[in-house]
Amino acid sequence: MTATTTSVDESEQLGPRPAPASRKARVLRALVPAATAALSGVLLYVSFPPRTLWWLALPAFAVFAWCLHGRSWKAGLGLGYLFGLGFLLPLLVWTGVEVGPGPWLALAAIEAMFVALVGAGITAVSRLPGFPFWAAALWTAGEAARARVPFSGFPWGKIAFGQADGVFLPLAALGGTPVLGFAVVLCGFGLYEIVRQVRGVRDPHSTGTVRRGAAAAALLSVVVPVVGAFAARPLVSDDAEDGTATVAAIQGNVPQAGLEFNAQRRAVLDHHVRETERLADRVKAGKAKQPDFVLWPENSSDIDPFTNPDAHAAIERAVKAIGAPISVGGVVETKDGKLFNEQILWDPKKGPTDTYDKRQIQPFGEYIPLRSVVGFFSSDVGMVRQDFSRGTEPGVFTMAGTKVGLATCYEAAFDWAVRDTVTHGAQLISVPSNNATFDRSEMTYQQLAMSRIRAVEHSRTVTVPVTSGVSAIIMPDGRVSQKTKWFTADSLVEEVPLRSSQTPATRFGTLPEGILVLIAAGGLAWAVTGAVRAKRAR
């Protein structure tokens, strides 16, 4: 009798059993995190140049953390892919400016797969103590993989490249782009964890000590990156350790934007010769300072000056007019038929004396990997009639006594390609580029931001001579001191500091990234082992 009464009382207290969730409610529960993941990816894109809304990366990752926390790895895979598409589709739209949407959509879809795998990993570590730390390390590991595979990688869109105007920028000098990006992501995930702790979304069986520990860890994941950024500010300096040099960057402009500019190669060369001669006239008139050396952009002479006497004579005329050595961007074919994207050091007295061949060449732009397979799907393969070959040696020119490191255009996105110019003695870095193919897209400003990060990372002045804009001179603290307008012939002349000391980021190289990847692997192994043990215990 007593047992029956108790059963009835409990039934009354619990109330009627809830009805199964409707199909509409289940669909809604699935759509809300999916839409939120995609929109948070868009929010991350908005934080990137040309906008200066760097801080939006923090709420973007906070919302992404909400989407992933406590979910299955399968859900993490899908939500991570949506986040990646929301971020990369608008970020990389410039890749389809001249060749249509096919390559753009394919590139974004492939790169988003890396983000999907990171999303799956984050769901696994989301139940670990100090979740933001493990999650941020996993993001860094994903960027490390994306910068290396496939086809030598595509690091465009690394979180660090959106932080040129942010408070975290000094961390680039401490540990390069991996540490800078890790700090931003850690802070974003930490914001979510703070909100989660404040709202009391925690394990009801945990002790007060554990809850206090979780709250402290959440707070530290926000405080430590910010404090670390301010502590790293002394690493950023504009002091002229080796004196100064007066540098000129030439933007000759192109007759026509897009891929067709290549059909007017002689006109492009003539434009750069003409702008250099115009600068020489200004120097003679006392309206501009005499440069110690001059930097031309990539593809400023697509006519091989070693085999074409007219191109050779035109460059020679420009060099003698300005009376200073020029680094000329040329396309050169060797006697054995190899094609190189080359920088040529042209001396006013000795002529061409040294060369640098671009090492990180662009897949599907400067060479076609798997040409026969890709050609089956697209006739655009024929636009790259001959593959460029890779250079093998770092580029450091000695120009009027100054050691100038060279990272040609696409190479600025790769940590190693910029760093080894500095480890080989560069006192100043030049990033000669050709953005005419991409018209007035955001690509130019995204690449300019990369050069600003590199300036702080290695504490070097960075010059960015571009065929059609935007050319710029960047101080070692990442500040743009001068820049040109789009599709306007112009020249920039400035006395800049020369530096030879190495930042911790330069000295450490890939070590910080390697440590973060190992941490990510350790966290993932801990999470998977714990899940397997829990499953066996059941």
Side-chain angles (χ1 to χ4, degrees):
M1 185 68 180
T2 304
T4 303
T5 302
T6 303
S7 177
V8 171
D9 290 345
E10 288 177 352
S11 177
E12 290 175 352
Q13 289 173 2
L14 293 172
R17 183 175 297 175
S22 66
R23 182 178 179 182
K24 183 178 180 180
R26 291 197 302 271
V27 170
L28 188 63
R29 281 201 298 269
L31 284 179
V32 168
T36 303
L39 289 174
S40 59
V42 174
L43 188 63
L44 179 59
Y45 154 72
V46 175
S47 75
F48 270 65
R51 295 157 296 277
T52 57
L53 303 174
W54 58 270
W55 52 270
L56 285 178
L58 304 183
F61 278 105
V63 174
F64 187 42
W66 174 83
C67 294
L68 297 177
H69 192 274
R71 296 187 184 274
S72 68
W73 70 267
K74 291 181 180 179
L77 196 69
L79 293 171
Y81 195 71
L82 290 172
F83 180 82
L85 288 178
F87 171 46
L88 293 169
L89 276 172
L91 185 81
L92 302 178
V93 68
W94 52 268
T95 59
V97 167
E98 292 297 329
V99 293
W104 160 50
L105 295 174
L107 178 62
I110 292 170
E111 293 299 310
M113 291 180 183
F114 289 91
V115 185
L117 292 173
V118 169
I122 289 175
T123 59
V125 301
S126 66
R127 295 176 178 84
L128 295 180
F131 148 68
F133 178 74
W134 307 109
L138 276 167
W139 183 274
T140 303
E143 287 192 339
R146 197 159 63 85
R148 289 166 173 81
V149 292
F151 312 124
S152 299
F154 186 75
W156 216 278
K158 291 180 78 170
I159 299 305
F161 296 150
Q163 297 296 309
D165 294 291
V167 299
F168 298 100
L169 180 60
L171 289 171
L174 180 64
T177 59
V179 168
L180 173 53
F182 172 78
V184 174
V185 179
L186 175 61
C187 201
F189 281 139
L191 287 175
Y192 162 74
E193 188 67 3
I194 288 175
V195 172
R196 194 174 77 90
Q197 294 295 328
V198 169
R199 292 185 62 186
V201 183
R202 57 174 73 92
D203 183 356
H205 301 294
S206 64
T207 65
T209 302
V210 172
R211 287 197 295 269
R212 286 193 296 273
L219 185 62
L220 286 173
S221 64
V222 173
V223 172
V224 170
V226 175
V227 172
F230 281 96
R233 291 181 71 176
L235 297 174
V236 182
S237 174
D238 282 349
D239 291 344
E241 296 174 334
D242 304 323
T244 62
T246 300
V247 58
I250 301 295
Q251 178 175 300
N253 200 16
V254 299
Q256 181 178 339
L259 296 175
E260 289 303 314
F261 89 93
N262 283 312
Q264 306 176 65
R265 296 178 298 166
R266 180 53 194 264
V268 175
L269 172 57
D270 288 343
H271 281 207
H272 285 83
V273 170
R274 189 179 305 120
E275 186 58 34
T276 304
E277 291 175 332
R278 188 178 294 126
L279 173 61
D281 291 340
R282 290 172 55 213
V283 170
K284 290 177 182 177
K287 297 179 180 179
K289 191 173 181 180
Q290 170 65 43
D292 295 314
F293 52 89
V294 180
L295 303 168
W296 281 11
E298 177 189 34
N299 299 128
S300 47
S301 178
D302 273 355
I303 301 174
D304 187 345
F306 296 114
T307 59
N308 187 293
D310 290 344
H312 188 286
I315 296 170
E316 188 78 16
R317 189 173 70 248
V319 173
K320 289 187 180 301
I322 195 65
I326 298 179
S327 178
V328 178
V331 173
V332 174
E333 187 172 357
T334 60
K335 292 180 180 179
D336 57 0
K338 290 184 178 181
L339 198 64
F340 289 97
N341 185 335
E342 191 166 84
Q343 288 291 309
I344 307 164
L345 175 56
W346 211 292
D347 187 84
K349 295 181 179 179
K350 300 177 182 178
T353 60
D354 199 1
T355 60
Y356 166 65
D357 298 321
K358 186 177 181 181
R359 295 170 293 164
Q360 187 66 47
I361 56 177
Q362 183 182 353
F364 306 103
E366 293 173 304
Y367 78 103
I368 304 295
L370 308 174
R371 183 178 284 268
S372 59
V373 176
V374 176
F376 180 78
F377 295 98
S378 175
S379 60
D380 290 337
V381 168
M383 298 175 71
V384 182
R385 292 185 294 274
Q386 181 180 352
D387 290 343
F388 279 85
S389 296
R390 297 175 184 271
T392 57
E393 299 294 328
V396 180
F397 287 168
T398 300
M399 305 181 72
T402 298
K403 292 189 177 296
V404 179
L406 299 164
T408 305
C409 196
Y410 185 56
E411 292 183 320
F414 293 83
D415 295 346
W416 65 268
V418 181
R419 175 180 177 265
D420 68 2
T421 68
V422 179
T423 58
H424 281 76
Q427 300 165 295
L428 175 149
I429 299 169
S430 180
V431 184
S433 303
N434 173 26
N435 298 339
T437 305
F438 306 108
D439 204 2
R440 297 178 182 270
S441 69
E442 293 183 355
M443 181 270 186
T444 290
Y445 291 103
Q446 292 171 10
Q447 190 177 55
L448 182 60
M450 293 178 191
S451 295
R452 294 178 63 190
I453 298 298
R454 300 306 182 193
V456 174
E457 182 179 17
H458 301 293
S459 194
R460 295 292 188 273
T461 298
V462 177
T463 59
V464 187
V466 184
T467 49
S468 56
V470 173
S471 300
I473 295 177
I474 305 166
M475 293 293 107
D477 63 355
R479 174 176 51 88
V480 177
S481 62
Q482 289 190 61
K483 65 179 180 180
T484 63
K485 295 180 180 178
W486 257 328
F487 297 102
T488 304
D490 203 353
S491 59
L492 304 175
V493 181
E494 184 154 350
E495 185 178 2
V496 299
L498 301 178
R499 295 178 58 82
S500 56
S501 63
Q502 294 187 2
T503 63
T506 306
R507 293 195 299 271
F508 293 151
T510 59
L511 180 61
E513 183 180 61
I515 291 173
L516 289 171
V517 169
L518 288 175
I519 289 171
L524 198 57
W526 182 12
V528 170
T529 302
V532 170
R533 287 176 178 172
K535 187 175 181 179
R536 287 176 178 173
R538 290 197 297 269

